[in-house]
Amino acid sequence: MAKMWAGRFRKETDAMVNDFNSSIAFDRRLYREDIEGSQAHAAMLAKQGIISEEDAAAIADGLRSILEDLDAGKIDLPPEKYEDIHMAVEQLLTERIGDAGKRLHTARSRNDQVALDMRLYVLREAREIMDLTLDFIRVLLRKARENLHTVMPGYTHLQRAQPITFAHHLLAYAHMFRRDAIRLDTCMRIMRECPLGSGALAGTTYPIDRFAVSDRLGMIAPTQNSLDGVSDRDYCIELCADLSILMMHLSRLSEEVVAWCSWEFKFVELDDAYSTGSSIMPQKKNPDVCELVRGKTGRVYGSLIALLTVMKGLPLAYNKDMQEDKEAVFDAVDTVKMCLRVIAPMFETMTVLAENMKKAAYRGFINATDCADYLTKKGVPFRDAYKATGTLVARCIELDTTLDALPIEEYRAVSDQFGEDVYQAIDLAACVAGRRSMGGPAPEEVERQIETMERLLKEARPQ
Ligand code: ARG
C-alpha cells in the first residue's frame, strides 16, 4: 500500500518497520480531537481565502460523516493501511470527497496537528478526572458528616497518639483531593494554548489566522513560538505529575483502609460487593480494590517517569520519540479514572465500626497529652506536667489499666494538683470536643470544614 509520503521513496516500507512506526493502534482514540482540529483548520483556510468555500464545505461534510462512522464503529483502521490517526482521517476524507480532501493539509503539518490533538485530549480528560475527584470528595464529606462524633485514635509512627474523630481523618483526605483538583484546574489553564499554525516547525507562508482557530477550539490564545508549539509536551508531563500526586493520595487512603479492614484494627467493614474472597481460605474477605489502587499507583508514576525520560534529551523540534507520549498518557488517564470510579462507591458503602474505633481509642493512653495539659492549666510548667503524666502512664502499664480507671490516690501520689475533675478532663469525648483550634477534630470545627468545602463544591471550582 503506497504511503501518503511515497513520492521520494523507491521501495515500500519493510513490514516490520511499518508496524514499528505505526501508532494507529493506540492514537485512534484521538479521532474526535483530530477531526475537531481539522474542522477548525479548514474553516480558517476558507475564511482566509486559502481554499475555496466549496472545498471547505465538502471537507466539513466529509469530516462530519467520518466522525459519525467512527463513532458508530463502522470504520476499520488497520495498521497496514494507516500509519496514524492523522493520516487515516485525511486518507478517508480524500476517498470520500476527492481532491478537496487533499487540500485540507495546506498550511499544516502532522507536527502541529498531533500537538493540538493531544492538548485537546488532555484538556478533556483533565476536566473529567477533576470532576471525578470532586465527586469523590463529596463521598468523603457525606461519610464525615455521619461520623462527626466517632472517636478514634489518631496515630503518629502508627502508634496511638491523640484522640480524633473519623470525620476529622476523612477531612484530611478531602483536603488532599481538593488540592489535586486545583492542580488539574491549573494544569488546564496553562495548557489552553493552541499550537495549530506552528506548521512542521517554522510556521507557514500562507496568511493563516491562528487566533480564529484558537478561539474556535476554546483555547485562550495561539502558542507564541512555532518551535515551542510543536516541541512542547509539558502538558502531558504536567497531567501525569498531577495524576501521580492524586494516585499517591488515593494509595495512602487505600493503605489505611487495608489496615482498617484487618482483624487487628477492624475499624471498617467493606461491602460484599466491593471485596473479594480467597480460593482456599473460606474465612477471607479481602480489600482487593484498595490493594489494586495502591498497586496501580506505580503504573501512573511509571507514565510520568517514562515521559520525563523520553523528553529529557530531545533537540528541538519534533522527534519521533515523542510518539511515545501517547500510551503513557492514555494508560495514566485510564488507570486514574478507573481507580476513582471504583473507590468512590466502595467508600460510600463501607460500614464504619464506631465501637471498635472507640475501644482502640481507650487503649493506648491517647489522652496523656490532655492529662498533662490539665496540670499545666493548674499552673504546673508543661515539662513537669509531661513528666508527671509519664510516671502515671508507667504506673498504668504496671497495673494493666488506663488513665481513666486509675484511682485518684495514684494521681495525687504524683502531683497534689490533681483533683477529681481530672477524669472529666481526660474523657475522650471531652478531649476531642476541647480541640477547637482551627483545623482541629472538635465536631463543630470539623463541621465548619465540611461546610466550607461543600460551598466550594457547589461552585464546582476546587478553590
Ligand atoms: N504519529 C505521530 C506522533 O504521534 C504524529 C506526528 C508525526 N510527525 C512526523 N514528523 N513524523 O507523534
Side-chain angles (χ1 to χ4, degrees):
M1 164 99 198
K3 297 280 179 211
M4 289 180 94
W5 35 257
R8 67 101 69 213
F9 290 81
R10 297 229 176 85
K11 276 189 182 175
E12 288 231 342
T13 319
D14 174 85
M16 202 158 59
V17 170
N18 191 64
D19 286 350
F20 191 58
N21 192 44
S22 164
S23 53
I24 188 78
F26 48 87
D27 67 16
R28 51 179 305 152
R29 86 155 78 181
L30 296 174
Y31 74 85
R32 276 191 208 92
E33 288 78 10
D34 195 74
I35 290 174
E36 198 184 340
S38 290
Q39 293 281 29
H41 181 66
M44 180 278 291
L45 290 179
K47 185 175 82 68
Q48 296 300 101
I50 301 167
I51 62 170
S52 70
E53 289 292 348
E54 301 78 71
D55 282 347
I59 290 172
D61 285 348
L63 288 173
R64 210 171 305 122
S65 74
I66 293 168
L67 179 62
E68 274 168 26
D69 290 351
L70 282 167
D71 275 342
K74 287 193 198 150
I75 301 178
D76 222 22
L77 297 171
E80 309 77 61
K81 198 160 171 212
Y82 304 111
E83 183 175 321
D84 58 25
I85 190 60
H86 326 292
M87 305 273 241
V89 170
E90 195 183 326
Q91 258 168 267
L92 287 163
L93 184 67
T94 304
E95 276 161 31
R96 290 188 185 195
I97 66 168
D99 276 357
K102 297 188 202 158
R103 299 213 160 88
L104 172 63
H105 211 51
T106 314
R108 187 177 74 169
S109 155
R110 265 189 301 162
N111 297 351
D112 55 351
Q113 193 178 351
V114 72
L116 171 71
D117 292 3
M118 273 305 270
R119 274 187 201 240
L120 291 174
Y121 172 82
V122 168
L123 268 170
R124 210 156 278 169
E125 295 296 340
R127 175 82 230 182
E128 198 174 329
I129 294 171
M130 186 176 105
D131 288 342
L132 286 170
T133 307
L134 297 179
D135 286 346
F136 186 44
I137 296 176
R138 288 187 185 95
V139 171
L140 292 174
L141 295 186
R142 277 201 291 278
K143 266 274 181 281
R145 256 199 194 290
E146 294 162 16
N147 288 284
L148 284 169
H149 298 275
T150 308
V151 173
M152 70 180 273
Y155 297 81
T156 62
H157 312 269
L158 203 57
Q159 302 286 320
R160 292 174 195 169
Q162 289 183 338
I164 57 168
T165 63
F166 192 52
H168 188 228
H169 200 107
L170 293 186
L171 257 290
Y173 280 103
H175 281 284
M176 297 178 216
F177 294 121
R178 178 183 62 86
R179 288 194 298 277
D180 292 330
I182 294 172
R183 262 185 284 274
L184 287 168
D185 198 43
T186 310
C187 166
M188 285 189 272
R189 229 171 297 160
I190 297 176
M191 81 173 80
R192 213 176 272 281
E193 290 183 346
C194 183
L196 205 63
S198 299
L201 73 160
T204 174
T205 53
Y206 291 97
I208 57 172
D209 179 355
R210 294 192 58 204
F211 284 92
V213 175
S214 167
D215 282 353
R216 175 166 166 156
L217 293 172
M219 303 296 223
I220 295 168
T223 51
Q224 291 285 321
N225 179 290
S226 63
L227 281 175
D228 179 47
V230 290
S231 306
D232 170 35
R233 292 293 181 275
D234 293 4
Y235 49 97
C236 297
I237 297 172
E238 202 169 344
L239 177 74
C240 286
D242 292 351
L243 297 186
S244 294
I245 300 176
L246 171 59
M247 285 303 291
M248 181 269 290
H249 291 147
L250 283 174
S251 183
R252 284 185 83 171
L253 177 58
S254 298
E255 163 61 20
E256 300 220 75
V257 176
V258 170
W260 293 339
C261 287
S262 72
W263 282 104
E264 282 65 22
F265 278 81
K266 265 291 164 246
F267 283 2
V268 299
E269 167 103 36
L270 294 181
D271 191 272
D272 281 0
Y274 292 95
S275 31
T276 41
S278 153
S279 61
I280 171 170
M281 296 166 281
Q283 83 284 13
K284 288 298 280 294
K285 182 169 172 185
N286 296 329
D288 286 23
V289 167
C290 302
E291 293 166 57
L292 278 170
V293 170
R294 195 173 58 185
K296 284 176 189 293
T297 301
R299 287 174 82 114
V300 178
Y301 292 1
S303 290
L304 172 63
I305 300 298
L307 287 174
L308 287 168
T309 313
V310 165
M311 295 305 293
K312 76 181 270 286
L314 297 187
L316 301 184
Y318 179 85
N319 301 273
K320 191 77 174 202
D321 314 47
M322 288 151 83
Q323 181 164 286
E324 289 292 312
D325 62 355
K326 314 225 162 28
E327 285 161 295
V329 170
F330 296 164
D331 191 71
V333 162
D334 291 347
T335 303
V336 173
K337 288 204 298 196
M338 203 161 42
C339 289
L340 282 167
R341 283 195 180 119
V342 71
I343 207 170
M346 184 209 78
F347 226 83
E348 184 109 62
T349 54
M350 173 178 93
T351 308
V352 177
L353 303 173
E355 269 313 305
N356 291 349
M357 290 187 181
K358 197 163 157 194
K359 255 187 243 154
Y362 271 98
R363 312 262 349 155
F365 307 105
I366 62 176
N367 46 4
T369 315
D370 302 86
C371 181
D373 285 344
Y374 167 89
L375 281 183
T376 310
K377 284 172 192 163
K378 297 232 160 170
V380 179
F382 181 75
R383 266 301 146 231
D384 296 339
Y386 173 96
K387 202 164 165 214
T389 308
T391 311
L392 287 170
V393 168
R395 186 74 184 129
C396 286
I397 293 170
E398 222 175 288
L399 299 174
D400 190 23
T401 187
T402 63
L403 285 171
D404 313 72
L406 192 69
I408 191 69
E409 298 74 48
E410 296 282 352
Y411 279 94
R412 293 241 171 82
V414 169
S415 165
D416 57 8
Q417 293 298 311
F418 277 118
E420 283 288 347
D421 55 348
V422 66
Y423 295 108
Q424 169 57 27
I426 62 167
D427 171 71
L428 284 185
C431 295
V432 168
R435 291 183 145 76
R436 277 188 296 267
S437 55
M438 188 181 170
E444 75 260 31
E445 171 51 26
V446 174
E447 199 165 14
R448 183 197 62 78
Q449 292 181 44
I450 295 177
E451 274 159 17
T452 310
M453 210 172 303
E454 278 171 349
R455 221 168 317 126
L456 296 173
L457 289 171
K458 242 186 232 127
E459 292 157 19
R461 306 273 321 166
Q463 57 181 347

